[in-house]
Amino acid sequence: MKKIEAIFIDRDGTIGGDDTVHYPGEFDLFPYTSTEINRLKRDGIRIFSFTNQPGISRGLAKEKDFEEELLAFGFDDVYMCPHDYNEGCSCRKPNTGMLIEAQKDYELCLENGAKIGDRWSDMVAASRVGSINILVRTGAGESSLSEHYDKLQDVKIDYIANNLLDAID
């Protein structure tokens, strides 16, 4: 089994909240999230936030507020797409821009990384760079499996977890 260098974890529906966006100050972590992030860090694994936040481009929130919140949760760094889905950027999942940026910033081998998320777009982005793919059933996880099955046909999901705790175990 290969040694995991870094884990990229989605925000909404994966570390807390549900299948909708809750802006900073309104977002609640799942009770086990902080403990699990700290456990991974003690094991020497870098933990990165990997999140689409289109509300930023719509003026509903500030990128700085998301960054401060996520760093306070224990993430080593934050990779965030602030663009709306129709802006055509390279960073918005399922594109790989955020992963490639982290690879350059930290000299990572993305094949030695894992991605944990609740949406089909998380799985597609991780698949495109050869990372381990773990889908959680929390948040939009169940609907990703049932309603978006067509988008996952050519994607290898390595594990379907009940939640973040199960994914990390």
Side-chain angles (χ1 to χ4, degrees):
M1 179 191 228
K2 59 186 169 184
K3 176 166 174 19
I4 300 297
E5 287 183 38
I7 298 179
F8 294 85
I9 305 175
D10 178 54
R11 180 184 182 266
D12 300 290
T14 302
I15 63 169
D18 50 35
D19 65 346
T20 61
V21 174
H22 296 270
Y23 294 108
E26 304 169 356
F27 184 77
D28 293 317
L29 290 176
F30 295 133
Y32 46 79
T33 299
S34 292
T35 301
E36 294 306 304
I37 287 174
N38 288 327
R39 179 171 67 134
L40 290 169
K41 288 175 79 168
R42 278 191 309 273
D43 290 343
I45 299 171
R46 292 182 176 125
I47 308 300
F48 301 114
S49 173
F50 175 64
T51 182
N52 288 341
Q53 295 299 334
I56 294 168
S57 69
R58 296 179 199 145
L60 301 173
K62 292 183 170 53
E63 192 167 353
K64 177 178 125 339
D65 294 335
F66 277 103
E67 286 175 5
E68 288 174 358
E69 176 193 68
L70 290 161
L71 291 170
F73 291 159
F75 287 96
D76 293 311
D77 207 342
V78 175
Y79 291 90
M80 179 175 10
C81 173
H83 307 106
D84 204 3
Y85 71 93
N86 60 358
E87 290 184 54
C89 66
S90 64
C91 55
R92 184 173 177 80
K93 298 179 281 186
N95 296 322
T96 60
M98 289 185 278
L99 294 168
I100 301 302
E101 183 180 350
Q103 178 184 38
K104 290 175 185 172
D105 290 348
Y106 291 91
E107 298 179 0
L108 299 172
C109 176
L110 293 174
E111 292 83 9
N112 293 336
K115 175 66 188 83
I116 302 172
D118 67 324
R119 295 189 182 272
W120 67 269
S121 56
D122 297 320
M123 300 299 100
V124 171
S127 178
R128 289 178 175 169
V129 298
S131 291
I132 293 170
N133 257 337
I134 302 173
L135 179 76
V136 293
R137 292 182 181 274
T138 53
E142 289 294 338
S143 65
S144 287
L145 289 168
S146 59
E147 297 168 27
H148 300 287
Y149 179 78
D150 58 324
K151 295 174 182 168
L152 294 171
Q153 283 183 14
D154 298 325
V155 174
K156 179 183 180 230
I157 298 175
D158 295 290
Y159 185 67
I160 299 173
N162 291 322
N163 54 35
L164 181 66
L165 178 63
D166 181 26
I168 291 172
D169 280 343

